[in-house]
Amino acid sequence: MLRLHDWCAAVDGGVRLAVQVMPNAKKCEVLGPFDGALKIRLQAQPIDGKANEALIRFLASLLDVPKSALVLTHGQSGRRKVIDVRGSDLTVDGVRNRLLPLESGGGIA
C-alpha cells in the first residue's frame, strides 16, 4: 500500500525527494503527493534543461536553502525526478512542512 509521504525520505547527509514535474504551467506550484512522488507544476519549458533549472530554483526557494544544496540525481530528461537536499539542517518533517504547509497545519490532507 502506498503511503502519502513516500515522496520524501531521509538519506545519509540529507533528504531525498521524488518529484513529478508538469512543465509549461502558468505558474510554479506544488500540487501535492501523487503516486509516490510530489507533483509540481513549473513555469518553464522542458527544453535545454530549463525545467530542471526552474525546479531547482523553485525548491531552493521553498526550502530556504541555496541552489547548490539540491542535486538532481535521477530523471534529468524525464518528468519523474529524484532530488537530494544535502548539507542542510532540514529533516523529512521539515521538508514536508515547507512543501505541504496545509497538511502540517491541519488543513486539507
Side-chain angles (χ1 to χ4, degrees):
M1 181 172 159
L2 185 65
R3 293 187 320 265
L4 186 62
H5 296 301
D6 285 344
W7 58 270
C8 184
V11 293
D12 286 341
V15 177
R16 177 165 291 157
L17 309 175
V19 299
Q20 180 169 335
V21 297
M22 299 173 60
N24 294 322
K26 291 186 179 185
K27 65 179 183 174
C28 292
E29 64 183 331
V30 175
L31 297 178
F34 175 77
D35 195 22
L38 185 65
K39 200 169 214 181
I40 298 176
R41 284 190 183 143
L42 293 175
Q43 189 180 12
Q45 295 181 346
I47 299 171
D48 298 328
K50 290 181 182 179
N52 290 341
E53 292 170 14
L55 177 63
I56 296 297
R57 278 194 314 271
F58 183 57
L59 288 174
S61 172
L62 292 176
L63 296 172
D64 195 27
V65 297
K67 292 185 297 186
S68 60
L70 298 166
V71 179
L72 179 60
T73 60
H74 295 86
Q76 283 78 1
S77 62
R79 290 182 183 232
R80 285 272 183 158
K81 302 179 183 299
V82 176
I83 297 171
D84 285 354
V85 183
R86 298 182 178 161
S88 75
D89 295 342
L90 287 176
T91 63
V92 170
D93 287 337
V95 168
R96 289 178 187 154
N97 290 340
R98 288 177 187 231
L99 297 180
L100 299 172
L102 289 177
E103 236 178 45
S104 61
I108 301 168

